[in-house]
Amino acid sequence: MSEALNEALHEEMDRDAGVLVIGEDIAQMGGLFQVTKGLLDRFGPQRVIDAPISEAAQAGAGVGAALVGCRPVVELQIADFVSLVMDQVVNHAGKWRYMSGGRVTVPFVLRGAVSSGIGMAAQHSQTLESWFVHAPGLVVVMPSTPYDAKGLLKAAIRDDNPVVFLEKRLLYSRPGPVPEGEYTVPLGVADVKREGGDVTVATYAAGVQLSLQAARQLAHDGVEVEVVDLRTLKPLDAETLVTSVRKTGRLVVVTEAARAGSFASEVVARVCDEAFGALRAAPVRVTARDTPIPYSAPLERAVMPQVDDVVAGVNAALERVAVEGVSA
C-alpha cells in the first residue's frame, strides 16, 4: 500500500503542477513510512515541503494553499496528531465552501497513519475517523488495499472538497495488485470484497482483512459472510450497504475504533433507518474496547478487535432472536 500511495502522489504531481505536499520529514527522508520517497528529487523543494514540527502550521498552510488554487496534500506522521489541527480542518477547510456560497473551494487532502497494532502506545495509536465524519463539509476515506488506496488518493486530490484520508500503518506493507494504467476509485462508493448470503459484515481499513479471515473460518461451518468494504465513510454508500443487508437480513459492523460514539454506531443507525424491515435480528458491533491503547503488545491485542472477535460477532448475530414484529 505504501508504494501504491507513492505512485498516486507521483502521478498526480506529474499531472497537475498545482499539487504539492507538506509535512514533517517528507522531503529528504521520504516520510516516516516512505510514502513520499522520491518526490523531492522529482519535483523539488517548492512542491515538496519539509515543515517544522507544528501540525497546526502544516494544516494552516495547506488550507491557505488550497484557497489560492493549489491542491495541497498534508501528511501527519501519526493520525493522533489530528487533535492539533481541528480548527484548521473542521472550522476552516470544512466550512469555506458553504460560507462562500460555493464560490470558494478547498481542494485539500489531510493524510495520516493510524498506528495501532505496532506498540505505539496510547497517544500514537488511536482510530479517530468518527471525529471527522461528525464534521460537516469533510470527506472521510479509509482504504484497505493497495488498489483502493492509490485510486482513492488520486480521486481525493482531484476532488474540490477537503478530504481526510486515513491509512492503517499495518497495511502499508500489505501487497496487492495495482494496474499499470491510469485509474481512480470514486469517492463515496463501497465495494463488496466477498459475497455471501447469511450475514453482512460492514467494515473498512484493517477491519476488512480481519473480516475476510473470519469469513473464511466461518465458511468451514457453512456460514457465508458478505464483506462490504465501505472505503469512503463520508459520504457513506448506503445503497450498497442496504442492498447487502436486504439480502442477508443480518448486520455486523467491524471497526478498530473504540465503541462509544464510533462510526459503527452510525452504520447501524443508517441501516435501521433505511432497512429496518429487512433485519432478522438486532445488529452487532465489533469494536475496540473503550480504553486508551496499551503499550504492552498482549494488552494491545486484548483491546483491539481480532479475527476471533469478528467470528464471535457473526455467531452472535446468527443467534440473536428476530427483531420484534419481523419474521426470522
Side-chain angles (χ1 to χ4, degrees):
M1 182 183 285
S2 63
E3 293 174 349
L5 292 164
N6 183 263
E7 282 187 8
L9 291 170
H10 270 90
E11 290 176 11
E12 290 305 298
M13 294 182 79
D14 265 333
R15 186 187 65 85
D16 184 346
V19 179
L20 53 90
V21 294
I22 304 170
E24 295 170 28
D25 299 322
I26 65 162
Q28 292 187 10
M29 181 176 168
L32 183 61
F33 303 117
Q34 296 296 286
V35 173
T36 58
K37 64 182 178 181
L39 294 180
L40 178 63
D41 292 340
R42 180 77 172 265
F43 302 106
Q46 296 300 313
R47 296 179 64 194
V48 184
I49 302 167
D50 266 335
I53 304 176
S54 172
E55 285 75 16
Q58 296 161 31
V63 173
L67 288 170
V68 297
C70 296
R71 292 186 176 273
V73 180
V74 174
E75 176 183 304
L76 301 182
Q77 284 189 343
I78 304 294
D80 303 55
F81 301 161
V82 296
S83 60
L84 301 169
V85 303
M86 295 301 281
D87 184 48
Q88 292 82 354
V89 176
V90 173
N91 286 331
H92 296 280
K95 304 297 189 292
W96 269 108
R97 192 167 192 175
Y98 170 78
M99 293 174 66
S100 70
R103 289 174 295 176
V104 172
T105 59
V106 190
F108 162 77
V109 178
L110 180 74
R111 294 182 42 248
V114 177
S115 297
S116 54
I118 58 173
M120 295 286 280
Q123 294 178 333
H124 292 71
S125 302
Q126 298 170 92
T127 307
L128 300 172
E129 64 277 2
S130 295
W131 290 7
F132 294 104
V133 171
H134 186 68
L138 302 177
V139 175
V140 183
V141 178
M142 291 192 73
S144 69
T145 68
Y147 176 89
D148 289 343
K150 179 178 179 178
L152 287 165
L153 183 56
K154 288 169 69 70
I157 292 170
R158 299 180 191 188
D159 198 83
D160 285 336
N161 297 295
V163 180
V164 176
F165 198 98
L166 299 176
E167 305 151 10
K168 176 67 178 185
R169 167 65 183 87
L170 282 175
L171 294 179
Y172 280 153
S173 59
R174 177 168 291 279
V178 174
E180 292 288 342
E182 162 73 13
Y183 76 96
T184 61
V185 173
L187 302 175
V189 179
D191 184 43
V192 178
K193 289 291 195 284
R194 185 184 194 276
E195 293 189 358
D198 294 322
V199 181
T200 295
V201 174
T203 185
Y204 50 93
V208 173
Q209 296 302 324
L210 292 178
S211 300
L212 289 172
Q213 291 179 55
R216 289 192 287 269
Q217 289 187 26
L218 288 158
H220 294 302
D221 298 324
V223 178
E224 290 302 324
V225 175
E226 182 149 297
V227 179
V228 178
D229 182 356
L230 300 175
R231 301 196 295 195
T232 302
L233 310 189
K234 189 176 184 179
L236 175 66
D237 182 0
E239 181 179 354
T240 297
L241 177 62
V242 167
T243 297
S244 178
V245 172
R246 290 190 188 281
K247 178 172 69 172
T248 66
R250 298 179 188 271
L251 173 66
V252 176
V253 188
V254 178
T255 175
E256 292 192 322
R259 173 167 297 202
S262 72
F263 187 65
S265 303
E266 172 64 18
V267 173
V268 169
R270 288 290 295 273
V271 169
C272 288
D273 282 345
E274 300 185 28
F276 182 75
L279 288 169
R280 301 174 63 189
V284 174
R285 291 173 295 162
V286 178
T287 71
R289 298 179 185 271
D290 283 319
T291 181
I293 303 299
Y295 174 69
S296 159
L299 290 178
E300 185 175 33
R301 285 193 297 272
V303 167
M304 302 297 297
Q306 306 296 322
V307 173
D308 289 347
D309 298 312
V310 180
V311 171
V314 171
N315 285 328
L318 292 169
E319 293 167 2
R320 285 187 171 182
V321 298
V323 177
E324 185 177 356
V326 179
S327 172

